[in-house]
């Protein structure tokens, strides 16, 4: 039976509604009957075991793959009722950070961030330069405009990719496994930055991740996808799910790596998310 828990720290205001969604590749159904709400200001975690369809769900939510059934609503806009041109324009409201950072290796950071602004706006070169400097400053990379991706550490590449994702001042940021390939210190610093962006800009953030430290430290809402039943089996604050959800699959996932199945330590999360940093 699916357990649902919602944060009571603030009055929820829906930002994204996924309703009765089925994801499939041809006749192969990946997930079915997916329904959940991402509220404004959430750090929303899409989690589950390998092969359950986490990244596929993200692709449906950002307009890159059409659902076999169901709706993805942004306010009163059904993303998949739009024409392809309308959907492409609407997707400019999103900022997306992929696993690799997806930076062009032949371009400097300034050129990477300015490229979408040059393609899709009429802003002057001087104004674009201002925006580039601002975005790099927001992610702790002020002064790195002329660096190439090959000259950066893994954590710095992720933050540079995030700077580009924020080029259009999106009110929703999507992350696909942002901590992949990072050491624990760099991963923690990226989590701190995500928290800082949510608090300072009010951005709604949706993250695909399997990293428990990140899930507990920054997530306040979530959906759990199950590969065996091919549907969602839990939703809500991950910390509450760990304590309250009785589903053994959810418990096994959230307690993995904890000696004797020990319970989540709130001090651990506070320590993990104690202030912004950079690497």
């Amino acid at each position: 039976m699916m357990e649902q828990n919602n944060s009571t720290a603030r009055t929820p205001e829906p930002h994204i509604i996924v309703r009765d969604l089925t994801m499939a590749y041809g006749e192969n159904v990946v997930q079915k009957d997916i329904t959940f709400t991402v509220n404004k200001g959430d750090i929303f975690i899409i989690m589950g075991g390998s092969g359950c369809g986490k990244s596929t769900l993200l692709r449906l939510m950002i307009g890159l793959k059409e659902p076999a059934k169901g709706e993805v609503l942004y306010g009163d806009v059904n993303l998949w009722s739009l024409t392809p041109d309308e959907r492409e324009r609407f997707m400019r409201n999103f900022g997306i950070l992929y696993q690799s950072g997806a930076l062009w290796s032949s371009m400097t950071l300034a050129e990477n961030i300015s490229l979408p602004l040059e393609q899709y706006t009429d802003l002057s070169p001087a104004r674009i330069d201002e925006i580039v400097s601002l975005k790099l400053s927001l992610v702790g990379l002020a002064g790195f405009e002329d660096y190439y991706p090959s000259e950066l550490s893994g954590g710095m590449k992720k933050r540079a990719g995030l700077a580009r994702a924020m080029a259009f001042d999106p009110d929703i940021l999507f992350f696909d496994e942002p901590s992949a390939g990072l050491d624990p210190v760099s991963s923690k610093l990226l989590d701190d930055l995500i928290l800082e962006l949510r608090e300072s800009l009010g951005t709604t953030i949706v993250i695909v991740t399997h990293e428990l430290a990140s899930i507990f430290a920054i997530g306040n809402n979530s959906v759990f996808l199950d590969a065996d039943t091919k549907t969602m089996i839990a939703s809500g604050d991950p910390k509450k799910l760990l304590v309250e959800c009785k589903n053994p699959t959810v418990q096994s996932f959230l307690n993995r790596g904890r000696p004797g199945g020990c319970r989540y330590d709130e001090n651990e999360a506070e320590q993990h998310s104690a202030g912004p940093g950079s690497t």
Side-chain angles (χ1 to χ4, degrees):
M1 181 176 181
M2 186 177 69
E3 302 283 340
Q4 294 196 15
N5 294 283
N6 295 310
S7 174
T8 57
R10 53 189 167 79
T11 302
E13 182 179 352
H15 204 164
I16 311 169
I17 298 173
V18 172
R19 182 181 296 155
D20 195 25
L21 201 69
T22 294
M23 309 183 296
Y25 291 95
E27 297 298 318
N28 179 32
V29 174
V30 179
Q31 289 283 326
K32 60 187 177 182
D33 303 326
I34 306 298
T35 296
F36 61 83
T37 298
V38 180
N39 294 311
K40 287 189 176 181
D42 271 353
I43 297 181
F44 188 94
I45 307 295
I46 299 173
M47 58 183 175
S50 298
C52 68
K54 300 185 295 294
S55 292
T56 299
L57 175 56
L58 190 73
R59 288 172 59 82
L60 267 68
M61 293 176 70
I62 62 179
L64 295 181
K65 177 174 173 54
E66 187 171 3
K69 177 187 175 186
E71 300 177 319
V72 179
L73 302 171
Y74 291 86
D76 58 356
V77 176
N78 183 348
L79 185 63
W80 289 101
S81 291
L82 302 176
T83 67
D85 286 344
E86 290 171 336
R87 188 161 55 252
E88 182 181 345
R89 288 192 294 272
F90 191 83
M91 288 165 62
R92 294 175 198 167
N93 296 313
F94 308 154
I96 305 167
L97 178 63
Y98 297 100
Q99 282 191 39
S100 64
L103 298 170
W104 294 99
S105 61
S106 61
M107 293 182 174
T108 65
L109 297 194
E111 290 168 340
N112 265 282
I113 298 168
S114 63
L115 182 62
L117 296 169
E118 292 169 350
Q119 288 184 324
Y120 298 115
T121 75
D122 296 323
L123 295 172
S124 68
R127 179 56 182 148
I128 289 176
D129 287 345
E130 291 176 4
I131 293 173
V132 168
S133 294
L134 172 62
K135 302 308 179 184
L136 286 173
S137 178
L138 281 173
V139 299
L141 290 175
F144 283 81
E145 285 84 352
D146 296 328
Y147 281 65
Y148 287 88
S150 61
E151 299 175 299
L152 306 179
S153 69
M156 294 169 75
K157 287 179 185 177
K158 292 291 179 91
R159 289 189 281 121
L162 178 54
R164 189 177 64 181
M166 295 192 299
F168 289 112
D169 295 324
D171 57 359
I172 307 174
L173 285 170
F174 294 91
F175 295 77
D176 189 7
E177 298 284 2
S179 298
L182 297 184
D183 62 85
V185 173
S186 297
S187 178
K188 175 190 178 300
L189 294 175
L190 183 60
D191 286 345
D192 293 340
L193 177 58
I194 291 170
L195 284 169
E196 183 180 16
L197 290 173
R198 195 272 300 272
E199 295 306 316
S200 61
L201 303 178
T203 310
T204 299
I205 297 170
V206 179
I207 304 176
V208 170
T209 186
H210 65 276
E211 298 289 344
L212 289 180
S214 296
I215 289 170
F216 290 131
I218 66 177
N220 72 288
N221 200 357
S222 71
V223 64
F224 192 102
L225 305 182
D226 180 47
D228 292 332
T229 60
K230 296 187 177 182
T231 192
M232 59 185 287
I233 56 175
S235 66
D237 187 323
K239 294 179 287 295
K240 291 185 178 180
L241 290 179
L242 181 59
V243 174
E244 300 172 6
C245 181
K246 305 303 181 185
N247 188 290
T249 300
V250 177
Q251 282 298 313
S252 177
F253 181 92
L254 294 177
N255 272 299
R256 60 196 159 90
R258 296 178 181 276
C262 64
R263 288 298 184 179
Y264 171 71
D265 183 355
E266 291 186 1
N267 292 327
E268 180 181 328
E270 291 174 3
Q271 195 171 37
H272 180 86
S273 58
S278 58
T279 182

